[in-house]
Structure formats: C-alpha cells, structure tokens
Amino acid sequence: MKRGLRSRLTQYGDEDFALFLRRGFLKSAGFTDDALDRPIVGVLSTASDFNPCHATAGHLAETVARGVRLAGALPFVFPTISLHEAFSFPTSMLLRNLMAMDVEEMVRALPLDAVVLIGGCDKTIPAELMGAVSADMPAIVLPVGSMLAGRHEGTRLGACTDCRRLWAAYRAGSLDEANLNRAHDQLMPTSGTCMVMGTASTMACLAETLGFTLPGAATAPAVSSDRMRIAEATGKRAAEMAIKGGPCPRDILTPTALRNASVVLQAISGSTNAIVHLAAIAGRAGLSYDLAELDRVGRDTPVLLNLKPAGSHFMEDFHAGGGLPGLLRRLAALLDLSASTVSGETLGDVVARWPTYLDDEVIRPLDRPVFPGEAIAMLSGSLAPQGAAIKLAAATKALFKFEGPAVVFESLDDLAKRIDDPDLPVTPGHCMVLRNAGPVGAPGMPEAGALPIPKKLGSKGITDMVRISDARMSGTAFGTVVLHVTPEASAGGPLALVRDGDVIKLDATARRLDLLVDEAELERRRTQWSPPEKPARGYTKLYVEHVTQADKGCDFDFLAGS
Ligand code: FES
C-alpha cells in the first residue's frame, strides 16, 4: 500500500506527475525531501471562533504536531466543520451527519497514514467517530477537555446544569435579574466543554471506554498541563500508528467495546444523547447497538460517579479522583477488560498500571452508589412501539409510575406560544406531550424534550412533571422526561395520534409507555393523519429523506454499514 505523500494521488492519469506536482506545492512552503518522505499524520482541528468550547483546539493541534514530529512523522493540521451547541441553528444534531461526512471524506481524500481527531462539544466526537469508522484509517481521538468549575458566592457552578437551575429559578421569580447576571459571568469560567456529565463529557468518557483515546484523555481539564501532555502523547502514538498501519477503528469498535460503553454510560449517569450516538457509530461498522443490552446491564450497574447533574462534583474532580481508568477499576467485574485500545494496550492493561488512588467520594464504591438503580431505562409500549428512553437518575421517583391526561403541543412553535399561557389547561396531574420534534419532524431532533414547567405551575413550586416527546434532552437537564419516542410523530408513530385529555400510562419500572385509547379510535385518527410537507431543497431535504429513527442513531440510511 502506498504511504505518505504517495497515497491518494490526484487523478491526472499520470501518478508520477501527480506526485511531482504535490511535492512541488509543499516545497513552496519550504519542506525538504527528508520531511516529505515521512509518514503523515493528519491533525483534524475543530478550532472555530464560533466554537468557544474548542478555544484551545489550535494550541492542542500544535502540541499534537510536536508529538508527531518527536516520533519521526510529519503532521498536517486541517479543518472540518466545527459544531457548538449554542451556535447551530436550528440544532447541532441536524448538522452532525454533515460533519461526519466531512470527516469521512477528508480522511479518505487526504494523503494520511493516521489521523488525530480533536473534538469535544457535544456532536463533534460522535461525528468524528462516525466518519473515522467509515473511513477505517488509523485514528485516535483527542477530546479538548472540560471547563473548570465556576464559583459564585460560595457555590460551585457547572454549565449547563446550573444554567438551567438558575434560569428556572429566575422564571419562577425566586431569583432576581441582578443575581442571575452576577452568576452568568461564572457559569462558563474557562474554555473547554461543559464540566458536568453532559453529552460532551459523556462522549469523551465513552470514546475512552471504547478504546479510541489514550488513558486519561476524557477527563483532564481543557486548561491543564495534563491536557497538553496527553496531546503530545497522542501525537506520538498517532505517528507510531501511521508507521505500523494500525490499529484501525473497526479493530477497536467491537460488540464487546460497545457493551463496555453501555456499562460505563449507566455508571456515569451519562447523557441519553449517547444512546443515539452509539447507535450511529456502531451502525457505521455494520454493528447494531443493543438497546435491550443497555437496559439489561443497567440493572446491575449503579451510578458510581458523583458528578452533576446526578451528583455534586465536576469533571476536574473526576480527573483528580482517579479518572476513567479509576472508574473502570471499580467496574471491573461488570466489564470485559480484554477489549483493545488505540494505545496498543487492553483496558485491563491500562487499569493494572493506573495509579491506585481513588477518591471514594467522587468515584463511589459499588456498595455506596450515588444512585442505587440504573441511570437510563429503555421503554416500549403502545405509545412507543420501537422504544423510548428515560433517565431515571434525573427523574422524580414518585413519577416512575404515572397515569394521567395529556396536554399536547403540536410543535416547538406551539410549545413556545402556549407554555406560559395562563389559560393553558394543565395541572400537576397532567403529562405534557411534545410531538413533531423528532429526527424528521423538527427536523434534527433538538434537545427540547425537557419541556419547561408552565409558569403558572412553576410559580406554585411545581418543579417536575411527566414530559413525553420524540425529541432529545441535554445531558445537563433533569426531570421525569421520556425521550426518543420511536417511531416519531412525523414518521406516523402513535405519538401523532395523541389528543388533549387522552390518558397515558408510564411504568418506568416495568419499562412500559402506553396510550390508553382503544385501537378502533386510533385507527380512525390514523386515517385522518397526513405526513408533514418535506423541505424542497438542500441539505435539509437530504436529511429528512434519509435520516433513520432514534433507535438506529439518526444517521443517514446510505451511510450505515461498510
Ligand atoms: Fe459545548 Fe456544552 S456547549 S460542551
């Protein structure tokens, strides 16, 4: 196989001329022949002024490049799309597949022998892994790392769990604007990804569990020297992978690795978004992510990690308290530590050599968990024939079993218009249903599933209600929120047929979600239903025509498999 600059030559019908031209352009930048004969490591940088979570990505790329050179290879830094949660209209999830295509096609097109994928903000690591698994070139992930925790008037603050808590208090009138504004300056005090167990932290931890990072890479803060040392070591390891020609992503991504990821997802009380991303990443290797197994392993795996929103600490505490290898040691009996990693070691090798210190308050022992039950449960029933998810660790136990009438919102616009209407016919005994917010419906399945508590109830001290939708929820959010109802309403799922006042029964313990309306009436409603109009052009048209449902990862149907 051709390596380095000799690989993937531009097609002019004359390979020697193509190489002559390619080397000539690089000579214009002052490269010597010695440099141009080295193996090449691509360093995918997601630096962007629109992505404050990745403010350090440029510096990380330079540090990775130093490691690549130290190991005798030649680094090339290149850009791809960069997605930030707060700068992606209408939702970053709509663009995740576009970024995954960008990653895959650039990794396939450029003359790389290995690639370092720098990512972090929620959709970036999933998109990078999806693209890398499809391209199946030697690849290693480097998360940008998390922010340090904020401090405000004696309290430690974490984005975005405390953003939501403070905003809810402000909406309910228990926090004034001046106090809200003072806290605002401290919510995101450094660059890096959200420092609670949101989607970014979850996906960094799962990338490390799957074996796609060097040990410790999930947890080192963005602004720490540990992060820079890991970046240099990542560059060195990528150079070795470029020289040896492996391992490739499909050597690492196995059913065993995915099962380990499910155990860790439960033990860290990770974001429910990870379910969708793991399904998409697995699908790229022709594997199916086993949602029943995720539910099953959860029954044996308590929440051990004491991080917000399920607990009280932050990513920097997790790092200092033993990091992900420390957690894997605690979970050893539940994991298959023979799984391999990009470092060339198995997870077991990493655990065996990792420092023995563990902070028992942050990484709890199995007999003193943060939450004794499973963090995430998968539901099914007449309202969700292909499944739905609920984060039990973020829900109110008294609502695990619920039966009550629905208040239905047709869309995100309808929700925004009516949620605070004083005449909204809603009581704490209702459940709120949001539809047409799924992969096709929104489109892009936004993080709108944690519907706000109507002002008229919030101001009376109601902090949680059962909420059901085909949307997703931020990993930093909390509440008794049923998500990912599949099939979604816009694909003709039963969610499309619910009417105000219909009784819905949730039994999270029995894993059931049912619409208590008889089948003849549902059939009558089904005949009146028609699918929503599709976008006329562009990427959004491609998206709604090809996106799969949540249980398959919301990937494009034509990108799954080999
Ligand atoms: Fe980027 Fe939270 S917004 S990680």
Side-chain angles (χ1 to χ4, degrees):
M1 197 175 83
K2 289 181 180 158
R3 291 282 178 85
L5 284 185
R6 286 176 176 76
S7 68
R8 300 156 197 184
L9 290 163
T10 311
Q11 292 190 327
Y12 297 119
D14 181 344
E15 291 206 337
D16 290 340
F17 174 69
L19 181 60
F20 175 76
L21 211 56
R22 177 177 282 176
R23 289 176 75 100
F25 279 111
L26 286 170
K27 282 174 183 250
S28 77
F31 284 93
T32 61
D33 284 325
D34 175 32
L36 297 181
D37 286 336
R38 303 285 174 132
I40 293 177
V41 174
V43 184
L44 185 162
S45 169
T46 40
S48 160
D49 286 351
F50 283 117
N51 194 341
C53 293
H54 293 199
T56 53
H59 189 196
L60 281 175
E62 285 169 23
T63 313
V64 169
R66 182 173 76 217
V68 171
R69 289 188 194 99
L70 282 171
L74 185 63
F76 281 92
V77 178
F78 68 101
T80 60
I81 295 169
S82 185
L83 301 175
H84 185 280
E85 288 305 291
F87 294 90
S88 303
F89 176 81
T91 169
S92 61
M93 187 63 179
L94 181 70
L95 301 170
R96 183 203 63 179
N97 295 352
L98 185 65
M99 180 174 172
M101 290 170 83
D102 186 355
V103 171
E104 176 183 347
E105 296 308 325
M106 291 316 290
V107 169
R108 279 191 206 284
L110 295 168
L112 309 171
D113 299 306
V115 63
V116 176
L117 307 162
I118 300 176
C121 196
D122 296 17
K123 307 301 176 296
T124 55
I125 287 180
E128 288 171 344
L129 281 175
M130 289 161 70
V133 170
S134 288
D136 209 29
M137 290 282 301
I140 180 165
V141 171
L142 176 64
V144 295
S146 50
M147 298 175 200
L148 296 178
R151 285 177 191 273
H152 175 62
E153 298 181 355
T155 312
R156 292 173 88 197
L157 296 179
C160 283
T161 300
D162 289 306
C163 316
R164 292 173 198 285
R165 181 180 61 77
L166 294 170
W167 189 251
Y170 173 66
R171 269 175 60 85
S174 56
L175 181 73
D176 66 31
E177 194 169 344
N179 203 346
L180 178 74
N181 288 341
R182 279 200 305 280
H184 201 187
D185 284 346
Q186 307 307 324
L187 279 166
M188 296 126 181
T190 69
S191 60
T193 49
C194 295
M195 62 296 227
V196 300
M197 191 44 74
T199 304
S201 301
T202 302
M203 292 312 301
C205 289
L206 296 184
E208 185 169 334
T209 304
L210 288 169
F212 281 108
T213 74
L214 291 189
T219 53
V223 293
S224 66
S225 57
D226 270 357
R227 175 62 50 195
M228 294 303 153
R229 279 187 285 274
I230 289 166
E232 184 185 292
T234 298
K236 272 184 163 171
R237 177 60 190 155
E240 288 167 14
M241 289 161 70
I243 292 162
K244 289 185 189 147
C248 291
R250 293 186 201 189
D251 302 327
I252 304 289
L253 187 70
T254 61
T256 300
L258 287 164
R259 187 185 177 283
N260 285 340
S262 293
V263 171
V264 168
L265 178 58
Q266 297 281 10
I268 63 177
S269 187
S271 164
T272 45
N273 287 325
I275 303 169
V276 179
H277 297 319
L278 284 171
I281 293 163
R284 293 301 187 99
L287 301 170
S288 138
Y289 180 55
D290 191 340
L291 297 173
E293 184 176 72
L294 169 67
D295 190 276
R296 220 165 34 244
V297 300
R299 294 171 194 253
D300 298 324
T301 312
V303 176
L304 297 187
L305 191 63
N306 186 5
L307 252 62
K308 284 191 169 199
S312 52
H313 293 274
F314 299 90
M315 284 297 277
E316 67 196 74
D317 306 314
F318 185 17
H319 186 64
L324 192 89
L327 177 70
L328 298 182
R329 180 178 293 136
R330 279 271 148 86
L331 292 168
L334 302 170
L335 297 167
D336 184 338
L337 295 177
S338 69
S340 28
T341 76
V342 285
S343 71
E345 300 170 291
T346 63
L347 284 183
D349 296 334
V350 172
V351 167
R353 72 166 169 82
W354 202 249
T356 52
Y357 171 75
L358 282 181
D359 183 331
D360 285 346
E361 195 41 41
V362 179
I363 306 174
R364 295 280 187 84
L366 280 159
D367 61 0
R368 195 167 62 83
V370 178
F371 183 74
E374 58 276 38
I376 295 172
M378 300 305 298
L379 311 173
S380 68
S382 61
L383 189 52
Q386 283 168 239
I390 183 168
K391 192 168 182 182
L392 297 177
T396 303
K397 196 150 193 198
L399 293 174
F400 282 13
K401 278 191 190 201
F402 168 90
E403 190 171 322
V407 173
V408 181
F409 297 95
E410 277 301 323
S411 64
L412 287 160
D413 281 349
D414 184 33
L415 173 70
K417 268 188 213 131
R418 294 197 296 131
I419 187 72
D420 288 335
D421 182 343
D423 295 328
L424 185 73
V426 64
T427 69
H430 280 83
C431 60
M432 295 195 289
V433 171
L434 169 67
R435 66 179 163 220
N436 299 313
V440 172
M445 207 183 180
E447 290 183 339
L451 281 68
I453 301 297
K455 240 179 197 163
K456 70 189 232 182
L457 299 182
S459 59
K460 290 189 186 130
I462 303 297
T463 54
D464 194 11
M465 293 173 68
V466 172
R467 290 158 266 178
I468 299 167
S469 75
D470 44 16
R472 295 175 302 116
M473 174 173 89
S474 162
T476 62
F478 37 85
T480 310
V481 180
V482 177
L483 302 151
H484 310 184
V485 169
T486 307
E488 64 174 302
S490 295
L495 195 65
L497 309 179
V498 184
R499 299 216 172 141
D500 279 343
D502 286 352
V503 175
I504 291 177
K505 186 174 177 185
L506 166 69
D507 186 342
T509 313
R511 306 297 196 249
R512 295 288 307 180
L513 180 68
D514 290 293
L515 175 60
L516 304 186
V517 174
D518 70 60
E519 189 46 45
E521 169 61 13
L522 290 179
E523 193 47 44
R524 195 181 65 76
R525 294 180 193 177
R526 208 168 275 126
T527 58
Q528 294 166 357
W529 180 83
S530 56
E533 239 175 67
K534 288 187 174 166
R537 64 170 296 281
Y539 175 73
T540 318
K541 176 175 159 67
L542 177 83
Y543 189 92
V544 302
E545 285 177 355
H546 291 284
V547 70
T548 59
Q549 291 289 289
D551 58 333
K552 299 281 183 287
C554 304
D555 198 2
F556 291 151
D557 49 13
F558 58 87
L559 292 174
S562 306

